[in-house]
Amino acid sequence: FRADYARTAISARSTTLTVERGVFAEIIDTGIFASRESTVDISFSYFYNANKGVLCETQSRGNVHHNVFFNIAGETESSAFTANASVIQTTDNYFQNCVRGVSMVYGASGDVTNNVLDDCAVGVYNFSFDRDIPYSIRENTLSRCSKYFIEIHHASAPTIKQNNFFGSTGQLYIYA
């Protein structure tokens, strides 16, 4: 599957979506948008020069793994991957030159595991007022993040362990 210059390349609602070996280039808004309890499996795909890469919301579930996200830098709060009130496993992805690599917001849960986040303003971002949502950030490599390696606002305490941090500009930000 290839999508160039689309506003939103794929939009799924209340369905099962599998994308393997897709290319999403020069996307005006969002490469893949899944909502309303969709189940997703997105793998071995390439997202570049987009406002947002993948957005899963409204109780969606699934896996985002073995993808490349490059130059996802459209808006001030753009994310290469966002889970919004969803349960998503984010593993073995490569994020480079993104405003935010991974965003877990408004009650999202899951694991952010074994990813490389390089040259992003913020590597992993979390914002939620629900403090009972378990999630983990582990075994990732975060390098050259210009603002924060990990930024957490009002969220339950995630498990943060066995991550590698490189570069002198990034730091951890936790506001409870």
Side-chain angles (χ1 to χ4, degrees):
F1 180 86
R2 182 173 181 112
D4 296 324
Y5 300 98
R7 176 156 305 284
T8 297
I10 296 175
S11 182
R13 293 184 181 164
S14 305
T15 190
T16 298
L17 173 66
T18 300
V19 176
E20 185 175 324
R21 300 191 196 308
V23 176
F24 301 84
E26 308 293 339
I27 302 300
I28 297 164
D29 189 36
T30 305
I32 298 174
F33 173 68
S35 67
R36 297 188 185 158
E37 301 179 0
S38 291
T39 300
V40 300
D41 185 23
I42 302 166
S43 63
F44 301 101
S45 295
Y46 187 59
F47 298 81
Y48 67 97
N49 293 348
N51 188 38
K52 298 178 195 95
V54 176
L55 171 58
C56 298
E57 66 179 27
T58 323
Q59 309 306 317
S60 293
R61 308 180 75 74
N63 297 290
V64 176
H65 58 97
H66 299 96
N67 300 290
V68 173
F69 296 87
F70 177 74
N71 199 32
I72 310 298
E75 299 173 354
T76 315
E77 297 183 2
S78 291
S79 291
F81 170 75
T82 301
N84 180 347
S86 295
V87 180
I88 306 289
Q89 306 306 315
T90 310
T91 57
D92 298 307
N93 297 290
Y94 180 77
F95 300 88
Q96 185 179 30
N97 194 33
C98 303
V99 174
R100 291 179 179 158
V102 176
S103 292
M104 306 285 282
V105 297
Y106 301 110
S109 65
D111 296 318
V112 179
T113 307
N114 203 36
N115 299 287
V116 174
L117 299 107
D118 180 46
D119 199 23
C120 299
V122 176
V124 179
Y125 175 83
N126 180 273
F127 181 91
S128 181
F129 290 109
D130 191 337
R131 297 182 182 269
D132 297 324
I133 303 292
Y135 69 99
S136 68
I137 302 167
R138 57 188 169 82
E139 300 172 18
N140 299 288
T141 299
L142 297 99
S143 64
R144 301 182 304 156
C145 294
S146 61
K147 190 172 178 185
Y148 303 112
F149 290 124
I150 299 171
E151 180 179 2
I152 298 171
H153 295 268
H154 304 290
S156 57
T159 301
I160 302 174
K161 70 184 219 181
Q162 297 177 325
N163 294 287
N164 296 300
F165 302 101
F166 299 99
S168 60
T169 57
Q171 56 187 324
L172 300 179
Y173 177 90
I174 299 174
Y175 178 81

